Each structure stands twice: as C-alpha cells, then as structure tokens.
Amino acid sequence: MTEQQQTLWSFMYEQSDKLLRQTFQHLGLTFTSLLLAVAIGLPLGILIARKSNLAGSILGIAGVLQTVPSIALLGFMIPLLGIGAKPAIVALLIYALLPIIRNTYTGIVGIDRSIIEAANAMGMSKMQILFRVELPLAMPVLLAGVRTATVINVGVATLASYIAAGGLGEFIFGGISLNNTNMILAGAIPAALLAVLLDFLLSRLQKLNGKKLKKVLLTFPVIIVVLAGFYLWPNTYTTKLRAGFTPEFMGRQDGDLGLKSIYGLKIGTTVISDAVMYKAAFEGDLDVISGYSTDGRLKAFDLRILKDDKGIFPPYYAAPIVRESSLKKFPDLEQVLNLLAGKITDSVMTDLNYRTDYLKQSPERVAKDFLLKAGLYQPPRNGQSGVIRIGSKIFGEQYILAEMYSILIKGNTDYEVATKTGLGGTKICFDALMNDQIDFYPEYTGTGLLVLLQPSPELVKEITKDSHRTYNYVKSAFQKDYKIKWLMPIGFNNSYALMMRKKQSQSLHITSITDLTKYLAQK
Amino acid sequence: MIKVSGLTKTFGNIKAVDDISFDVLEGENLVLLGTSGCGKTTTLKMINRLIDPDAGTISINEVDTSREKPELLRRKIGYVMQNIGLFPHYTVAENIAVVPRLLQWDKKHTINRTLELLKKLHLPENYLQLFPRELSGGQQQRVGLARALISDPDILLMDEPFGALDNVTRSSIQAEFKALEEFTKKTILMVTHDVQEAFELADRICLMDQGKIIQIGTPKELLFTPKNDFVIRFLDGQRLALQFKLVTIEDLWEFLPEDPRHTNKTISADKASMWSVMEAFSADRSIEHQFFVNTRTKTIKGLNFTQLTNAFNSYQNKEIHD
C-alpha cells in the first residue's frame, strides 16, 4: 500500500495536466450546454408566457425529460448522436432546459399586469415591451433558473465521461473502479468547487440591478462562449484507429499503462463507460476497446479478442468472496456456494452474458435455465433460518451469478436471500462487504489482487504469470488482512481484453496486441 | 375632438359596452361615471385601442383610430391609471421619459420638459434619481401624471387616476390637478366611480350602467333634471351636498335681495359655492352678512344665512321647472 499512500495534493500535482484538461472540459461541457439551453429555453419561456395554453404541455415535456435518469438519457443519445461531446451536450442541455423555461415563464407571468398595461398605453411595441420591461423585470427569476441549471449541469457533466465526453467524471469513476480515493477526490473536489463557485458568481449577478446588470449581461455571452470554447482544449492526439477504454482500464498497470509500457502501444484514446463501449465499437465510433473476455456483447456485436501475446492482463478467475463471520453464522453456506465451483467455462459464461445483455432475457431466467441444464436446480424450500445478503457489481454477469447463488441457497438450505445487486464498482461492493452490509459477492482474482490488495509491481508481475498462484495469493492475503474467504473458483476467466470488430481485424491482419502496435507504428 | 359612435364590446356573452355613442369636445373634461362593471373602463380603453371594439367607430379629429397603428396612436394620447404602473426598474426620470424615448426626443428637450413638469406637480428635483418604490403613493401618482403629460398630448385618458390614494392625498392631488393649466386646456376623458370626484372635475358627466349610457350632461343637468329613476337613485344621499358644492352665488344672483350697504371685503360670486359660503357662516357665528361681487354685472350684494337658503330654494325650483 505504501506507494498508493501518496497525498491527495501530490496526486493532483502529478496529474495536474489531466486535471486541468478535465476541468476545462467540464467547464466547456457545462457552458456549451447552458448556452444552448438558454438559446432554446428563453424563447420557449417567452412563447409560453404569451400563449398560456401551450404552457402546460411544454413545461410538462421539459419536466418529463428532467426525470429521465441521467445515465439512461446518455444511453438514449448514443444511437442518435454516437459518443463523445455531442450526445453529452444534448443530454446536459435537456437537463438545463426545464429550470430555464420555467423561470423565464414564471418571471414574465409574475410581472404586475398594470406595468404591462402602462407599457402598452405608453405606446411601446411588443418587442419594446419584451426587451425594456418584461425581460429586465423577469431577470432575477430568470437568472435563478440559469443558476439552478448551471449547478445541475456541473453535477450531471461528471457522467459525461461514460460516453467519452471527458470532464472530471474520468477521475471520479476511474477512482471508484480502481479503489483510488485520491483519484475520486481529485475529480470530486474540483467538481464540487466548480458548482459552489459558479453558484456564488451567479448569485452575485442576481443581486446586481439595472445598469450594472446590463453591463455584466452583455459580457455574459462572451464569457460563456470562451468557457464553452475550453471544450476544444486538445484532449487526445488522433491516430489511424481510435480506442475507447473504461476509466478503470485507463488507470491500471494491467490496462492502458501496461499497454504503453510493455507493448509501446500509441493509440488515440477516449474514456468511455463499458455500458456503451461495445455498441460504439460495433457502430464504428471506436475501433479498439477494452472489454471483458466473457462479455456477451463480444458475441452480439461480432467482436474478436486480440491476443495478449506479452501477457499483461492477469487472470481474473471468478469466485465468491465471503465474510468469515457469515460462514460461521450460516454453516451450510460454503458448501452451497461451492456447488457452482468449476461449472462455468469461458464460452458458457459468454453465452449466458449474451442472453442477458443482448437477447434481453432476465438474469433470473438465464440463471434458472443454466441450473436446470446442469442438474443443480432445486425448488425453493422457503426456509426461515436467517437472511443471506448477496451483493453484485453493476453488470450482467454479476447479476446472473447473484441469481444462481440465490436459487441455490433457497433450494438447498433453509436460509432466505436478500440480493443487493448493482452496487457500482469494486470499491462500493467491497466496502459493503467489509461493513457487513452484504455477506458475499462474486469477485475476480485479478481485481482482488490489483484493485484491493495492490502489492508492488514486481510482485504482481511475478504472481500473475500463473492463475493458481494468483488465486492462492489473494486467498491467503484476504484471510489475513480482511477476514474474508475466497471460495472455490467458478471456472471462467473474465480477464481484460482488447477487442476489435472481426471484419476490421481480418482486413488489417491484426490478431494480437503486438500486431496492433506495429500497425499503428506504420506511417 | 373625439367622436364615438355605435361602440360595442362583448366579453364571452356579457355585453360590456352596448352600442354607445358620444362626443368629447375640445378642451372638455368628460367623466365616465358608474358602478364597477358598467363598461366605463372598457370604453376608455377602446379609445387608445388597449381594447379593440367589436363594432362601432372612434375617430379623433375626424380620423378613424382603427386605421392607425395602435402604438403610434397611444404615443399621442396621455394615459393615467389607478395602479399607476410605473416601471419599477426605471428611475423617476426614466419613467417620465418613456414616451419621449419612444418619440426619439432630443435628451436636452426631455430634461427641460421634465423639470418644467416637476415644478408644476410640486415634485422636488432630487426625486429624479429615485426609484418608484422609494416614493409615497401620492408622489408616485404625480410621477404618473408627469409621464402622461410630458409629450404634451392633446388628449388625456384617466382611469380612476386617484382611486388608489387615501382621502387626504386624493383631495390635495385633485385640487393641484384642477389648478394645472393642462387640466383646462386638454381634452380629458376620465373614468371614476366616485360621484364627488366626478362632480368636482367634470364639465360633463356620462353616467353608464350595464354597458349603456343612462344620461350624459353637465353636473347641473344630472342633479336638477335627472333623466330617469336610475339617475335619481344613483345620486341618492349625496344630492344636497353636490348641489351645495355646485351652485355658486352667481347662480343665485337673481334671487338675492338688493343690498344698499357697501363694503370693500367682497368675494367673487362665481368662485363662491353655496357650500363654502355656508361653511364660512358656520365657522364664525359672529358673521351676519357676507358680500359678493358679480364680475359680469359689476354689482355687489350682501346676504345672511336665511337669504342664502331662500335664494337656493327659488333657484332649485327654477332649475327643475326649466
């Protein structure tokens, strides 16, 4: 751990170029979307203030859009706009729209009618009333809307890293995946500070009145355009092929770092969430992605794994890890969980994943079908001698495994089961286990070694040459350090892998990572 | 000056204004009087096209207003409203200068005219940089008047202009307004539900009910020759006070006895109302006679309280029988 125990400050200093780039990207995303949201929301707000019969429907639509979960919204954008800045900006814009439309509307409708009548009676034209009376008087309310939208956008923009749009989310989500608190904070603290700072500046703006406000508002678009322009900050160099790696992969020795140091791979890289990465590769937005070797989408999207000919990806054999206290509390548990040991091979797991991720079968059904076929299925006994809490990370394979364990426990013991699926990344799952919020979850040997134990690089290199050594190492270390037991491996190895579209790899004759490196090195 | 004919406006299925016609003469103050909902405000707002009529025409100086662009029409017509409607984000100076700015006046011209009006309306110059919320209601309405008068429009529309003010402020602003030369020179159409105010300020009163004109005439005509029961009932309880305020000593001249005594302390007979003379008697019990000069006939007459009431009685009889 010694190496990792650097201070937050030294981490930020070391990563200052990335931090700066991400901050500017973040500002750029926030303000580009804000600018567009004002450009759309302000006229819409004015329109519905004029035609009040439209107000209900337009505010309703904006309200419904607002309630779409941000991740889902980003997901919807990909088929329409691909990955990167465009869908992120559109998604952020949609979030910023409601407060701006609503506050423009409320601001204008809230003006004393006699003031508008006076303006009319003085002989002002519609436009003169709008610009000289309505907008100035609605300005404080309108700015409150912009302020809300800004703060929302700074927050939601952290999710933009999921679809390769950059921003401080790269550090935050990378940090969560890598169990690197410094990295999380290096993203979260600047994001929070940005929100607080922008909120403060806009609150000052709100308090200005009349002439001063006018001056500031005239410079406002300039400031926004400049800030929006930060997004053009060069974020990657371009190469013949484009790679998309998960935030986790980016920060790992057995990921991007290893690809650079051991293979000498030079490829233009964007950071993207694994939820959308495969599709982006399939649709040609990306050429090389960092996938998982048992991922069902491998099959669904016709991708092929590039051979790791220098062996940088350590083995990731899956096995349930259980609190020792839970094993004592539930004596039958270990035996039941080991029913699955050695039962699922790589290709079986890929197929099961394919059925959930691509054929959209429910994890329950996939799990039950498999257990029936393997002759392991027992109908539930509906026992009541204690509740076992199963955790899982937030992807299909873990859901399937959690379901299988749930069925096995219910069928073979008198315990009840509570599943807590979708616990984000490794760190969240592991913390839940350590804090006795769950009894066990399926973990991978490589993750246990590199993310949780984090031994010295020399030791890692030594251990990971052999899958048994890796398993034995994590098993004894977890027992000693955490009082957590690794049960027997389930059988498959879900390691990291670089993958490409099958057709492209054939036409470029790339079958291994070394081939890829060579191809990219050619002029 | 303003000619209204066959004017009709319907809101939903309620006829707010029902086929009314009237003229406003140049320099005249015509007051539209009635209870709320009688259509008086709707009528007023149709003059400067804040509301467009369903039927009928309005012409100003023989030009049909429907042919003019509403904005341009309104810039030529002063407008004062009950809620004042000053722009809260404008200073007093900017509020007064709204119309000049629309008419693209030269800045200096605007400032000179503003200062002129401030003096007339008894507003100190240092108010110019204040915002409306820093002024009292009465001061705000003075600014409202200045805003309506700045471009020296020929026509002034006033919608319950003093309605939002307390009684004391109202009567002092009314008095100031009446004393303004603009009040006598301009053609004014005013809406009010306040009978006292109507009789105080009107050259002619147009009494309305349910969208129709009930009677249009001078205050004296409404008082002494009401057209129907509605008019009588409308003035019930206030008639005597209104008559006392309206009738001057000059009106009573022919019914006053010749008085051989002469004095230098005389009051103009056309300026002294019945009410003010009776007040003087009641304020100082030692006064037995008051003396008045009729500026037209250049004669002087004196009277005591009994002679005054007798003369009023005869006058009333004559008015009713005419």
mmCIF file of all heavy atoms in Angstrom, chain A residues 405-434:
data_model
loop_
_atom_site.group_PDB
_atom_site.id
_atom_site.type_symbol
_atom_site.label_atom_id
_atom_site.label_comp_id
_atom_site.label_asym_id
_atom_site.label_seq_id
_atom_site.Cartn_x
_atom_site.Cartn_y
_atom_site.Cartn_z
ATOM 1 N N TYR A 405 -26.686 -18.015 -7.240
ATOM 2 C CA TYR A 405 -26.441 -18.283 -5.824
ATOM 3 C C TYR A 405 -27.740 -18.202 -5.036
ATOM 4 O O TYR A 405 -27.991 -18.983 -4.124
ATOM 5 C CB TYR A 405 -25.403 -17.310 -5.272
ATOM 6 C CG TYR A 405 -24.000 -17.655 -5.729
ATOM 7 C CD1 TYR A 405 -23.185 -16.723 -6.353
ATOM 8 C CD2 TYR A 405 -23.494 -18.947 -5.516
ATOM 9 C CE1 TYR A 405 -21.911 -17.040 -6.772
ATOM 10 C CE2 TYR A 405 -22.210 -19.283 -5.944
ATOM 11 C CZ TYR A 405 -21.426 -18.340 -6.561
ATOM 12 O OH TYR A 405 -20.174 -18.660 -6.977
ATOM 13 N N SER A 406 -28.555 -17.235 -5.421
ATOM 14 C CA SER A 406 -29.827 -17.062 -4.717
ATOM 15 C C SER A 406 -30.682 -18.328 -4.840
ATOM 16 O O SER A 406 -31.224 -18.838 -3.851
ATOM 17 C CB SER A 406 -30.541 -15.839 -5.310
ATOM 18 O OG SER A 406 -31.872 -15.809 -4.893
ATOM 19 N N ILE A 407 -30.766 -18.852 -6.098
ATOM 20 C CA ILE A 407 -31.577 -20.063 -6.329
ATOM 21 C C ILE A 407 -30.989 -21.255 -5.571
ATOM 22 O O ILE A 407 -31.701 -22.018 -4.909
ATOM 23 C CB ILE A 407 -31.667 -20.382 -7.838
ATOM 24 C CG1 ILE A 407 -32.444 -19.265 -8.550
ATOM 25 C CG2 ILE A 407 -32.324 -21.740 -8.076
ATOM 26 C CD1 ILE A 407 -32.384 -19.344 -10.069
ATOM 27 N N LEU A 408 -29.647 -21.364 -5.622
ATOM 28 C CA LEU A 408 -29.003 -22.490 -4.951
ATOM 29 C C LEU A 408 -29.234 -22.449 -3.441
ATOM 30 O O LEU A 408 -29.513 -23.464 -2.810
ATOM 31 C CB LEU A 408 -27.497 -22.492 -5.250
ATOM 32 C CG LEU A 408 -27.097 -22.902 -6.677
ATOM 33 C CD1 LEU A 408 -25.612 -22.705 -6.890
ATOM 34 C CD2 LEU A 408 -27.484 -24.376 -6.930
ATOM 35 N N ILE A 409 -29.116 -21.257 -2.867
ATOM 36 C CA ILE A 409 -29.299 -21.135 -1.419
ATOM 37 C C ILE A 409 -30.746 -21.466 -1.034
ATOM 38 O O ILE A 409 -30.999 -22.231 -0.099
ATOM 39 C CB ILE A 409 -28.921 -19.721 -0.937
ATOM 40 C CG1 ILE A 409 -27.410 -19.482 -1.091
ATOM 41 C CG2 ILE A 409 -29.326 -19.507 0.520
ATOM 42 C CD1 ILE A 409 -26.975 -18.042 -0.934
ATOM 43 N N LYS A 410 -31.672 -20.919 -1.802
ATOM 44 C CA LYS A 410 -33.085 -21.158 -1.484
ATOM 45 C C LYS A 410 -33.451 -22.633 -1.631
ATOM 46 O O LYS A 410 -34.270 -23.158 -0.878
ATOM 47 C CB LYS A 410 -33.992 -20.327 -2.389
ATOM 48 C CG LYS A 410 -34.047 -18.853 -2.018
ATOM 49 C CD LYS A 410 -34.980 -18.134 -2.979
ATOM 50 C CE LYS A 410 -34.903 -16.632 -2.865
ATOM 51 N NZ LYS A 410 -35.453 -15.979 -4.047
ATOM 52 N N GLY A 411 -32.811 -23.304 -2.648
ATOM 53 C CA GLY A 411 -33.180 -24.690 -2.937
ATOM 54 C C GLY A 411 -32.491 -25.699 -2.040
ATOM 55 O O GLY A 411 -33.009 -26.798 -1.822
ATOM 56 N N ASN A 412 -31.294 -25.327 -1.535
ATOM 57 C CA ASN A 412 -30.518 -26.327 -0.810
ATOM 58 C C ASN A 412 -30.403 -26.066 0.680
ATOM 59 O O ASN A 412 -29.852 -26.862 1.401
ATOM 60 C CB ASN A 412 -29.110 -26.426 -1.399
ATOM 61 C CG ASN A 412 -29.136 -27.003 -2.806
ATOM 62 O OD1 ASN A 412 -29.432 -28.166 -3.003
ATOM 63 N ND2 ASN A 412 -28.858 -26.158 -3.790
ATOM 64 N N THR A 413 -30.850 -24.880 1.111
ATOM 65 C CA THR A 413 -30.758 -24.586 2.548
ATOM 66 C C THR A 413 -32.085 -24.019 3.017
ATOM 67 O O THR A 413 -32.992 -23.779 2.230
ATOM 68 C CB THR A 413 -29.666 -23.521 2.839
ATOM 69 O OG1 THR A 413 -30.163 -22.270 2.370
ATOM 70 C CG2 THR A 413 -28.364 -23.849 2.164
ATOM 71 N N ASP A 414 -32.153 -23.728 4.321
ATOM 72 C CA ASP A 414 -33.349 -23.095 4.873
ATOM 73 C C ASP A 414 -33.175 -21.614 5.044
ATOM 74 O O ASP A 414 -33.926 -20.952 5.753
ATOM 75 C CB ASP A 414 -33.696 -23.748 6.229
ATOM 76 C CG ASP A 414 -34.297 -25.130 6.015
ATOM 77 O OD1 ASP A 414 -34.963 -25.305 4.980
ATOM 78 O OD2 ASP A 414 -34.067 -26.011 6.857
ATOM 79 N N TYR A 415 -32.143 -21.060 4.404
ATOM 80 C CA TYR A 415 -31.929 -19.628 4.542
ATOM 81 C C TYR A 415 -32.797 -18.876 3.543
ATOM 82 O O TYR A 415 -33.165 -19.372 2.496
ATOM 83 C CB TYR A 415 -30.463 -19.265 4.272
ATOM 84 C CG TYR A 415 -29.494 -20.002 5.137
ATOM 85 C CD1 TYR A 415 -28.372 -20.618 4.596
ATOM 86 C CD2 TYR A 415 -29.694 -20.082 6.534
ATOM 87 C CE1 TYR A 415 -27.468 -21.290 5.385
ATOM 88 C CE2 TYR A 415 -28.791 -20.765 7.332
ATOM 89 C CZ TYR A 415 -27.684 -21.380 6.762
ATOM 90 O OH TYR A 415 -26.806 -22.050 7.537
ATOM 91 N N GLU A 416 -33.062 -17.626 3.933
ATOM 92 C CA GLU A 416 -33.690 -16.708 2.984
ATOM 93 C C GLU A 416 -32.592 -15.888 2.317
ATOM 94 O O GLU A 416 -31.463 -15.848 2.785
ATOM 95 C CB GLU A 416 -34.631 -15.743 3.706
ATOM 96 C CG GLU A 416 -35.905 -16.378 4.204
ATOM 97 C CD GLU A 416 -36.735 -15.345 4.946
ATOM 98 O OE1 GLU A 416 -37.528 -14.674 4.279
ATOM 99 O OE2 GLU A 416 -36.543 -15.212 6.164
ATOM 100 N N VAL A 417 -32.967 -15.187 1.233
ATOM 101 C CA VAL A 417 -31.953 -14.440 0.476
ATOM 102 C C VAL A 417 -32.427 -13.012 0.244
ATOM 103 O O VAL A 417 -33.580 -12.772 -0.052
ATOM 104 C CB VAL A 417 -31.708 -15.121 -0.891
ATOM 105 C CG1 VAL A 417 -30.848 -14.238 -1.780
ATOM 106 C CG2 VAL A 417 -31.061 -16.482 -0.698
ATOM 107 N N ALA A 418 -31.494 -12.076 0.443
ATOM 108 C CA ALA A 418 -31.757 -10.697 0.007
ATOM 109 C C ALA A 418 -30.656 -10.310 -0.967
ATOM 110 O O ALA A 418 -29.483 -10.412 -0.619
ATOM 111 C CB ALA A 418 -31.759 -9.766 1.206
ATOM 112 N N THR A 419 -31.029 -9.961 -2.184
ATOM 113 C CA THR A 419 -29.973 -9.590 -3.147
ATOM 114 C C THR A 419 -29.838 -8.079 -3.201
ATOM 115 O O THR A 419 -30.827 -7.361 -3.275
ATOM 116 C CB THR A 419 -30.285 -10.119 -4.553
ATOM 117 O OG1 THR A 419 -31.637 -9.810 -4.860
ATOM 118 C CG2 THR A 419 -30.069 -11.595 -4.667
ATOM 119 N N LYS A 420 -28.578 -7.643 -3.138
ATOM 120 C CA LYS A 420 -28.302 -6.215 -3.306
ATOM 121 C C LYS A 420 -27.452 -6.079 -4.555
ATOM 122 O O LYS A 420 -26.232 -6.007 -4.493
ATOM 123 C CB LYS A 420 -27.572 -5.679 -2.085
ATOM 124 C CG LYS A 420 -28.409 -5.877 -0.841
ATOM 125 C CD LYS A 420 -27.924 -5.068 0.326
ATOM 126 C CE LYS A 420 -28.904 -5.224 1.464
ATOM 127 N NZ LYS A 420 -28.523 -4.488 2.665
ATOM 128 N N THR A 421 -28.122 -6.066 -5.683
ATOM 129 C CA THR A 421 -27.388 -6.055 -6.937
ATOM 130 C C THR A 421 -27.119 -4.628 -7.382
ATOM 131 O O THR A 421 -27.730 -3.693 -6.891
ATOM 132 C CB THR A 421 -28.189 -6.768 -8.037
ATOM 133 O OG1 THR A 421 -29.500 -6.233 -8.031
ATOM 134 C CG2 THR A 421 -28.254 -8.252 -7.820
ATOM 135 N N GLY A 422 -26.187 -4.514 -8.303
ATOM 136 C CA GLY A 422 -25.910 -3.215 -8.885
ATOM 137 C C GLY A 422 -25.201 -2.277 -7.944
ATOM 138 O O GLY A 422 -25.498 -1.096 -7.883
ATOM 139 N N LEU A 423 -24.226 -2.828 -7.171
ATOM 140 C CA LEU A 423 -23.511 -1.984 -6.218
ATOM 141 C C LEU A 423 -22.333 -1.258 -6.873
ATOM 142 O O LEU A 423 -21.222 -1.290 -6.371
ATOM 143 C CB LEU A 423 -22.996 -2.823 -5.051
ATOM 144 C CG LEU A 423 -24.057 -3.359 -4.092
ATOM 145 C CD1 LEU A 423 -23.423 -4.275 -3.060
ATOM 146 C CD2 LEU A 423 -24.763 -2.218 -3.403
ATOM 147 N N GLY A 424 -22.550 -0.599 -7.977
ATOM 148 C CA GLY A 424 -21.498 0.197 -8.604
ATOM 149 C C GLY A 424 -20.254 -0.606 -8.890
ATOM 150 O O GLY A 424 -20.325 -1.736 -9.349
ATOM 151 N N GLY A 425 -19.110 -0.035 -8.571
ATOM 152 C CA GLY A 425 -17.842 -0.689 -8.897
ATOM 153 C C GLY A 425 -17.320 -1.533 -7.752
ATOM 154 O O GLY A 425 -17.995 -1.779 -6.747
ATOM 155 N N THR A 426 -16.095 -2.007 -7.952
ATOM 156 C CA THR A 426 -15.438 -2.862 -6.975
ATOM 157 C C THR A 426 -15.424 -2.249 -5.588
ATOM 158 O O THR A 426 -15.739 -2.896 -4.594
ATOM 159 C CB THR A 426 -13.993 -3.117 -7.441
ATOM 160 O OG1 THR A 426 -14.039 -3.753 -8.698
ATOM 161 C CG2 THR A 426 -13.246 -3.978 -6.446
ATOM 162 N N LYS A 427 -15.074 -0.981 -5.546
ATOM 163 C CA LYS A 427 -14.912 -0.332 -4.244
ATOM 164 C C LYS A 427 -16.208 -0.351 -3.440
ATOM 165 O O LYS A 427 -16.206 -0.661 -2.255
ATOM 166 C CB LYS A 427 -14.459 1.114 -4.454
ATOM 167 C CG LYS A 427 -14.148 1.825 -3.150
ATOM 168 C CD LYS A 427 -13.580 3.194 -3.422
ATOM 169 C CE LYS A 427 -13.536 4.036 -2.141
ATOM 170 N NZ LYS A 427 -12.875 3.339 -1.028
ATOM 171 N N ILE A 428 -17.304 -0.055 -4.130
ATOM 172 C CA ILE A 428 -18.588 0.003 -3.431
ATOM 173 C C ILE A 428 -18.981 -1.374 -2.909
ATOM 174 O O ILE A 428 -19.392 -1.551 -1.759
ATOM 175 C CB ILE A 428 -19.674 0.579 -4.369
ATOM 176 C CG1 ILE A 428 -19.319 2.019 -4.720
ATOM 177 C CG2 ILE A 428 -21.051 0.501 -3.736
ATOM 178 C CD1 ILE A 428 -20.161 2.625 -5.812
ATOM 179 N N CYS A 429 -18.791 -2.399 -3.771
ATOM 180 C CA CYS A 429 -19.100 -3.771 -3.374
ATOM 181 C C CYS A 429 -18.245 -4.211 -2.197
ATOM 182 O O CYS A 429 -18.742 -4.766 -1.223
ATOM 183 C CB CYS A 429 -18.830 -4.703 -4.558
ATOM 184 S SG CYS A 429 -20.303 -5.456 -5.204
ATOM 185 N N PHE A 430 -16.954 -3.927 -2.322
ATOM 186 C CA PHE A 430 -16.033 -4.402 -1.299
ATOM 187 C C PHE A 430 -16.296 -3.692 0.031
ATOM 188 O O PHE A 430 -16.281 -4.316 1.096
ATOM 189 C CB PHE A 430 -14.584 -4.172 -1.759
ATOM 190 C CG PHE A 430 -13.572 -4.736 -0.800
ATOM 191 C CD1 PHE A 430 -13.432 -6.112 -0.644
ATOM 192 C CD2 PHE A 430 -12.777 -3.889 -0.040
ATOM 193 C CE1 PHE A 430 -12.510 -6.626 0.253
ATOM 194 C CE2 PHE A 430 -11.865 -4.404 0.863
ATOM 195 C CZ PHE A 430 -11.729 -5.773 1.012
ATOM 196 N N ASP A 431 -16.546 -2.375 -0.038
ATOM 197 C CA ASP A 431 -16.856 -1.641 1.192
ATOM 198 C C ASP A 431 -18.116 -2.185 1.847
ATOM 199 O O ASP A 431 -18.198 -2.280 3.070
ATOM 200 C CB ASP A 431 -17.034 -0.145 0.902
ATOM 201 C CG ASP A 431 -15.690 0.536 0.678
ATOM 202 O OD1 ASP A 431 -14.653 -0.112 0.963
ATOM 203 O OD2 ASP A 431 -15.682 1.685 0.208
ATOM 204 N N ALA A 432 -19.106 -2.536 1.008
ATOM 205 C CA ALA A 432 -20.350 -3.097 1.548
ATOM 206 C C ALA A 432 -20.061 -4.403 2.283
ATOM 207 O O ALA A 432 -20.614 -4.673 3.351
ATOM 208 C CB ALA A 432 -21.363 -3.325 0.431
ATOM 209 N N LEU A 433 -19.158 -5.190 1.716
ATOM 210 C CA LEU A 433 -18.791 -6.466 2.340
ATOM 211 C C LEU A 433 -18.054 -6.235 3.654
ATOM 212 O O LEU A 433 -18.364 -6.837 4.675
ATOM 213 C CB LEU A 433 -17.927 -7.274 1.369
ATOM 214 C CG LEU A 433 -17.606 -8.708 1.773
ATOM 215 C CD1 LEU A 433 -18.867 -9.563 1.799
ATOM 216 C CD2 LEU A 433 -16.579 -9.324 0.823
ATOM 217 N N MET A 434 -17.094 -5.318 3.620
ATOM 218 C CA MET A 434 -16.291 -5.025 4.818
ATOM 219 C C MET A 434 -17.162 -4.483 5.937
ATOM 220 O O MET A 434 -16.928 -4.747 7.098
ATOM 221 C CB MET A 434 -15.202 -3.987 4.480
ATOM 222 C CG MET A 434 -14.054 -4.548 3.674
ATOM 223 S SD MET A 434 -13.182 -5.880 4.527
ATOM 224 C CE MET A 434 -12.225 -4.930 5.704
#
